Amino acid sequence: PVARHGELAVDGTALVDASGAPVQLRGISSMWLNWEFDGYAENRDALVWLRVNWDVEVIRASMGVEPPGAYLENPSRATEQVERIVRHAIDLGLYVIVDWHDHDAVAHQAEAEAFFAELAEHYGEFPNVLYEPFNEPLRVGWSDVVKPYHEALVATVRDVDPDNVIVLGTPQWSQLVDEAAADPVIGTNLMYTLHFYACEHTAWLRDGADQALALGLPLFVTEWGATDADGGVADRRICAEEAELWHAWMN
């Protein structure tokens, strides 16, 4: 995919490739890496298999931050897990989203800035890498809480990497993109995160996303599921019809 599309950019509401053509990246997200006990997400052969058999173009490396065994408790291990996935993606010509998988990133801003500064220093020269510095803000304000955090993180990355795409999380578990659209972060090659789980998030969320797009906000669905928001753990319910509506909307 990277050989085909090259360096990505944002043009209006669209993600575009090096030729300026709109591009849609399809792929998978890891589980929180601190709970990826089988190591599949970090396995190069597994990533080859996904590229060949599932036509995966992008992998999202979801680095847990707060739980036991995650970044705050063991930063060297967590960083190495992420960097292993990044190195495999670069080697295999895939895009990779590096996700600071945190619901309270504002409380860990200093740690996030240090992590992304180092990541950008090591890998910002590669067109493969996209940054996602705040997975899912909770029900907090956009303009007074989330936006200032993003402004600081964007500045941190841009000090080292002037152009790779950064995807910014939005309030209420990355659902309230219309709030971000009313007061966006100033900068280039910025997109905004939209997450959905099809059994709970239906036409109302697409309507809000359409409002954000109409205001010129570029969106990237970095995480989704065809289940309830718990991943189907409680009742294993699959909402395939609603998931198909979401896929039609994304396409």
Side-chain angles (χ1 to χ4, degrees):
V2 176
R4 183 164 65 250
H5 296 301
E7 188 159 349
L8 303 173
V10 179
D11 183 8
T13 60
L15 182 67
V16 299
D17 65 15
S19 69
V23 59
Q24 180 186 37
L25 298 182
R26 295 180 175 133
I28 59 165
S29 177
S30 73
M31 178 59 172
W32 304 54
L33 288 174
N34 53 292
W35 291 323
E36 280 268 11
F37 300 121
D38 59 8
Y40 192 79
E42 300 166 50
N43 185 284
R44 186 184 185 279
D45 291 340
L47 203 51
V48 170
W49 190 94
L50 289 166
R51 185 184 67 178
V52 171
N53 292 280
W54 281 11
D55 295 325
V56 160
E57 298 169 304
V58 59
I59 181 171
R60 178 176 181 247
S62 296
M63 186 187 72
V65 175
E66 292 184 283
Y71 182 84
L72 295 180
E73 185 176 285
N74 196 339
S76 59
R77 176 178 178 270
T79 300
E80 176 53 32
Q81 287 180 295
V82 168
E83 291 196 353
R84 188 176 296 117
I85 296 172
V86 171
R87 290 193 298 269
H88 290 333
I90 291 170
D91 185 37
L92 298 173
L94 296 167
Y95 293 99
V96 55
I97 300 170
V98 178
D99 162 36
W100 183 264
H101 207 74
D102 192 355
H103 293 131
D104 192 20
V106 174
H108 313 124
Q109 181 173 321
E111 293 88 345
E113 288 184 27
F115 172 80
F116 281 102
E118 183 177 0
L119 186 80
E121 183 69 37
H122 291 171
Y123 302 105
E125 65 183 286
F126 296 96
N128 312 64
V129 178
L130 296 81
Y131 308 95
E132 187 177 4
F134 196 161
N135 166 55
E136 287 186 348
L138 300 179
R139 288 175 176 165
V140 295
W142 165 260
S143 294
D144 61 336
V145 178
V146 183
K147 181 183 177 182
Y149 170 90
H150 283 318
E151 289 173 329
L153 268 292
V154 168
T156 295
V157 171
R158 290 293 181 244
D159 280 345
V160 183
D161 178 352
D163 46 24
N164 281 22
V165 172
I166 307 173
V167 189
L168 309 178
T170 55
Q172 192 172 295
W173 299 281
S174 285
Q175 296 167 23
L176 300 184
V177 291
D178 49 333
E179 291 188 3
D183 185 21
V185 175
I186 302 301
T188 58
N189 291 344
L190 304 179
M191 302 189 80
Y192 294 78
T193 308
L194 178 67
H195 288 177
F196 71 85
Y197 283 82
C199 294
E200 298 181 39
H201 309 127
T202 57
W204 64 267
L205 185 54
R206 290 190 292 276
D207 289 345
D210 283 334
Q211 292 176 27
L213 288 167
L215 291 171
L217 200 75
L219 302 180
F220 195 129
V221 177
T222 60
E223 179 183 322
W224 67 272
T227 63
D228 289 296
D230 67 354
V233 172
D235 58 15
R236 300 182 181 272
R237 182 168 61 136
I238 301 294
C239 298
E241 289 186 7
E242 190 63 40
E244 291 288 354
L245 292 175
W246 270 109
H247 273 263
W249 181 86
M250 289 188 290
N251 294 337

